[in-house]
Amino acid sequence: MRITIIVLAALAVGLLPATAAHAQPGAPGLRIKESRYHVKAIGPGFVLKLTPRKLDTRIDEERFGDPATGNPIVRQTINLTGLTLRPFECRNGTYTIRTGTFQRTWRVSQLAKRPLPYPEGFATGAPGIFTPFVGELKGTVTDAAGETLNFLISDLVQEVLTPDGFSATAPIHGFFVDQQGRVRDRISLVGRFNSGGDGQAPTYGIEDRGTCRQIADLPYGPGSERAVVTGPLFVLPFSAPVTVPEHP
């Protein structure tokens, strides 16, 4: 589980080559509309809207994910206050979470293993395919000078597994806002993955339109080194190429 395991790890404590595809499609069923100060994500049974002032998610339980599987909708809230989590390293500052919550809602579409280069450790800890996962983080951070800022972050996953292949879209968006209401830094990281049947010919990559990005080794064993992260959150649980579009 992409976000679950990284947070739980924080609580407790050879890659295959890829083709960096242009216009990587990712998973069907999730649409993202993004401008500099507004993000709208429309997925199976949910609509998420994010601005520097508000993060709002509407979930239709009768349509969320694939109800036909019989798998339940799972909800969980993690209190981030007091946890030791990796800071966000951004262009205009380094931010450490001081207070906040991480609300998560997901439905597993089927129990299966994701293909390589998803690490074996990640597959063991997260055998379910998330169609979808919706995460909302809200709270405060402090920078190196001790200034307090507010943050709002959306953390989504849409995965689709069929006999023809596996696909995933993993977007993270967010804003760090100072006490005057000005956006200091913004997160815009969208990971996409596609492979054929039996994981053949995987292509994957990450688009970065924001100002917050780091590289870190994840706690999933071989294959999870040098992943793209932002603070305690990761985009894909393995190393992936990053592109920066000319017009963010």
Side-chain angles (χ1 to χ4, degrees):
M1 185 184 301
R2 167 176 172 256
I3 299 117
T4 303
I5 299 177
I6 194 104
V7 172
L8 293 180
L11 287 170
V13 242
L15 299 179
L16 295 180
T19 301
H22 296 286
Q24 180 85 22
L30 176 62
R31 290 182 293 148
I32 303 169
K33 300 178 180 179
E34 177 182 359
S35 63
R36 188 169 181 81
Y37 296 118
H38 184 269
V39 178
K40 183 176 182 180
I42 304 172
F46 77 89
V47 176
L48 180 146
K49 297 179 181 180
L50 172 66
T51 71
R53 295 180 177 273
K54 188 176 182 180
L55 173 55
D56 179 71
T57 304
R58 306 294 173 90
I59 292 177
D60 183 341
E61 294 196 3
E62 294 183 357
R63 298 177 53 248
F64 187 76
D66 184 2
T69 65
N71 296 324
I73 296 174
V74 181
R75 289 183 169 86
Q76 186 178 43
T77 298
I78 296 176
N79 184 0
L80 303 177
T81 304
L83 300 183
T84 301
L85 302 171
R86 182 169 50 238
F88 298 89
E89 295 179 8
C90 301
R91 184 179 303 163
N92 300 305
T94 297
Y95 310 113
T96 300
I97 294 177
R98 294 305 182 195
T99 67
T101 58
F102 184 10
Q103 295 183 333
R104 309 178 304 173
T105 306
W106 70 90
R107 191 196 292 267
V108 171
S109 59
Q110 54 185 301
L111 294 176
K113 183 184 291 187
R114 301 165 183 83
L116 293 171
Y118 280 82
E120 185 69 24
F122 181 77
T124 300
I129 304 301
F130 294 102
T131 314
F133 178 103
V134 178
E136 304 170 71
L137 296 91
K138 304 176 183 179
T140 63
V141 295
T142 55
D143 64 11
E147 181 181 354
T148 298
L149 297 90
N150 297 319
F151 73 88
L152 295 168
I153 299 174
S154 63
D155 189 5
L156 307 176
V157 181
Q158 168 75 351
E159 299 176 323
V160 176
L161 178 64
T162 71
D164 295 327
F166 175 76
S167 59
T169 300
I172 302 175
H173 292 91
F175 298 103
F176 296 94
V177 183
D178 67 19
Q179 298 303 305
Q180 287 71 47
R182 296 172 298 199
V183 174
R184 182 80 57 83
D185 279 292
R186 63 188 290 264
I187 302 169
S188 176
L189 296 165
V190 182
R192 295 184 175 90
F193 182 100
N194 295 90
S195 68
D198 298 322
Q200 297 171 343
T203 61
Y204 47 88
I206 297 169
E207 290 186 353
D208 182 3
R209 292 179 170 83
T211 61
C212 302
R213 183 177 83 217
Q214 305 150 248
I215 299 296
D217 295 339
L218 300 179
Y220 311 128
S224 66
E225 303 88 357
R226 297 194 59 76
V228 174
V229 305
T230 180
L233 307 173
F234 63 89
V235 187
L236 296 169
F238 49 84
S239 179
V242 176
T243 59
V244 179
E246 293 182 6
H247 304 288

